[in-house]
Amino acid sequence: MDWYVLFKFPHVASAVIWIGGAFVMIMLGVKAERAKDDAEIVSVVRQVAWAADRIYVAASVATLLFGLIVAWLGALWGNLWVILGLVGVAATIGLGVIVLTPRAKAVEAGYKAGGVTPGVVALCREMLTIAKFDSVLLFVVIADMVLKPEGNDWAVLVVMAIVLLAAAAVWLTPVFRKPAVAA
């Protein structure tokens, strides 16, 4: 066994924690949405925000750091799949920090000020919608890491691009077309 394998394990393990936890929380949000239970939707989003601060951010940073170490140890920097994976991880971390975190803080502030109000519920629904796209992005990064496409693997690259574009059209376009909802 070598250093590459030793660092690959925590890279994969932290990615599993990150995507697994996020997927479960999204499914809980979908369950609450289908039940039309506003209080439950707010509860799920507040739990996601709690988990993000304590689990998801740490897991995403660990995934990135161990991935960088593995890429260095394996001399993988020239591979397209490594570059795409880094771009994908950076995009999802950026989406979390720039888009979801401010909304999570607004949900918490709105909830503390007035409980389960229509504005808080609308913001929670918006966050769940963005999180659905983020999960698709993470699954595309996982596909990239497993399939390891290079420039001549155009079919894989096209499918990955179509999946991302379709997810953005379904989940991001409606959110960013309208002004943000205030809690």
Side-chain angles (χ1 to χ4, degrees):
M1 189 170 329
D2 59 12
W3 288 107
Y4 176 86
V5 173
L6 288 174
F7 280 99
K8 189 174 182 180
F9 174 75
H11 170 64
V12 172
S14 57
V16 168
I17 291 167
W18 182 14
I19 187 69
F23 184 77
V24 168
M25 290 296 199
I26 289 168
M27 291 298 101
L28 291 172
V30 167
K31 176 182 169 264
E33 282 181 325
R34 287 187 177 165
K36 300 191 185 323
D37 187 341
D38 291 348
E40 186 64 20
I41 290 170
V42 173
S43 175
V44 168
V45 169
R46 291 180 71 225
Q47 290 175 52
V48 170
W50 179 91
D53 286 346
R54 292 160 181 83
I55 301 166
Y56 304 144
V57 170
S60 67
V61 170
T63 300
L64 177 60
L65 290 177
F66 286 118
L68 291 171
I69 292 168
V70 167
W72 177 71
L73 289 171
L76 302 171
W77 294 111
N79 294 304
L80 178 61
W81 62 272
V82 172
I83 295 163
L84 292 175
L86 286 170
V87 169
V89 168
T92 190
I93 289 173
L95 191 61
V97 171
I98 296 167
V99 177
L100 291 171
T101 298
R103 284 172 170 80
K105 290 179 192 241
V107 164
E108 194 59 32
Y111 180 79
K112 286 182 179 176
V116 181
T117 65
V120 169
V121 172
L123 194 53
C124 288
R125 288 182 189 280
E126 185 176 283
M127 288 180 65
L128 286 170
T129 300
I130 296 166
K132 290 171 188 174
F133 170 78
D134 191 47
S135 268
V136 171
L137 176 57
L138 281 170
F139 275 106
V140 169
V141 170
I142 291 169
D144 174 65
M145 293 288 111
V146 172
L147 300 173
K148 299 178 179 12
E150 291 298 336
N152 60 345
D153 296 318
W154 61 268
V156 173
L157 295 168
V158 167
V159 169
M160 288 174 21
I162 289 170
V163 167
L164 281 178
L165 290 172
V170 169
W171 289 310
L172 294 185
T173 303
V175 170
F176 293 110
R177 194 178 299 157
K178 62 181 173 103
V181 177

